[in-house]
Amino acid sequence: MYKLAIIGSGNGSNFEAIVKWFQDKGVEITCLSDAEDAFILKRAENLGIKHQFLPFEQNFEYFSKNEFDLVVLAGYMKILPENVLKAMGKVINIHPSLLPAFKGKGAIKKAFLAGVKVSGVTVHYVDFNIDAGKIIAQYPVFIDNSMHLDEFEAEIHEIEHRLYPIVIEKVLEDKVFDFQDLMKSVCSKKKEGGGCGGCGQH
Ligand code: GAR
């Protein structure tokens, strides 16, 4: 059984998408947050997932004592120092832009206000440079002239929720992420409503 730690500071919508994806797939998930009142912890409670408040200063001690196959950052808003990253082992993050563009906080709004016509989502390994580890997967979101910020934001989150769980599964299994996997998952969803989603497999 794989052991997965998901660590976030806020809302936890990615956490919830990941939990739903791994339901009945034999993955043990632990939810951690550096913010005691973060909604991610409430979601974990509601979903019956082991969870705890983990103050930033206790990260090193916690991850030195608790081993995981993979640590997943999902809206974790603090910068992790080198010793903590080493103790964590393999760490990945999701960022709401096409890195290396729009690093740091507020990336969705920054991209929108900059007037770019394409932004998107990046899943990457975390190393000692901020938002700059090796890219595992990216997915574009196009911004047409009539698109509002809230529509753009909603589309970014929808892509995040579809992309992150599949990439996590591949990383856990030590397999290469392939866009066919994403297409198939979209396709099977569409098939329930009738018709192929265009994955080329039917
Ligand atoms: C997500 O959009 C994620 O990409 C972003 O925080 C949000 C968390 O949402 N992360 C970063 O900006 C990291 N630099 P969630 O708590 O609902 O999953």
Side-chain angles (χ1 to χ4, degrees):
M1 179 183 280
Y2 292 117
K3 286 182 76 181
L4 194 66
I6 304 177
I7 179 161
S9 309
N11 178 24
S13 67
N14 278 285
F15 160 74
E16 184 156 344
I18 298 162
V19 168
K20 291 191 169 148
W21 176 265
F22 284 108
Q23 232 159 29
D24 308 319
K25 287 191 180 168
V27 175
E28 189 189 308
I29 298 177
T30 303
C31 175
L32 303 160
S33 180
D34 60 323
E36 200 164 8
D37 57 354
F39 194 56
I40 191 171
L41 291 175
K42 191 82 204 142
R43 286 187 198 254
E45 190 184 326
N46 294 340
L47 291 162
I49 299 293
K50 193 162 86 174
H51 57 283
Q52 85 172 67
F53 163 52
L54 180 62
F56 182 74
E57 304 70 36
Q58 290 174 25
N59 275 332
F60 180 71
E61 195 189 343
Y62 178 87
F63 285 101
S64 300
K65 284 187 189 149
N66 296 277
E67 255 189 57
F68 296 95
D69 295 295
L70 181 64
V71 176
V72 167
L73 307 188
Y76 192 74
M77 290 309 185
K78 291 204 178 91
I79 293 161
L80 294 161
E82 201 167 325
N83 66 335
V84 171
L85 286 174
K86 276 192 182 139
M88 282 177 160
K90 203 185 266 186
V91 189
I92 64 171
N93 182 42
I94 191 159
H95 186 78
S97 76
L98 294 179
L99 289 172
F102 306 110
K103 293 179 181 181
K105 287 184 185 166
I108 299 176
K109 197 169 176 181
K110 276 191 220 158
F112 188 84
L113 293 180
V116 295
K117 290 292 152 244
V118 55
S119 188
V121 173
T122 302
V123 181
H124 62 97
Y125 286 106
V126 176
D127 68 13
F128 312 127
N129 304 304
I130 300 162
D131 292 335
K134 193 169 183 296
I135 289 170
I136 307 168
Q138 288 192 314
Y139 199 97
V141 173
F142 297 94
I143 308 168
D144 69 40
N145 294 336
S146 61
M147 196 181 220
H148 287 241
L149 175 59
D150 54 354
E151 292 169 312
F152 172 53
E153 192 156 11
E155 207 170 319
I156 290 276
H157 291 311
E158 199 193 315
I159 299 292
E160 287 190 322
H161 300 163
R162 264 200 268 139
L163 184 67
Y164 212 10
I166 299 180
V167 173
I168 291 166
E169 188 172 288
K170 294 290 153 189
V171 173
L172 274 177
E173 292 173 350
D174 226 359
K175 289 186 182 148
V176 174
F177 169 75
D178 179 335
F179 272 93
Q180 277 292 323
D181 300 318
L182 187 63
M183 290 303 282
K184 276 185 228 158
S185 89
V186 177
C187 187
S188 58
K189 263 192 206 160
K190 285 210 173 151
K191 269 194 96 186
E192 283 161 24
C196 173
C199 73
Q201 308 273 328
H202 309 280

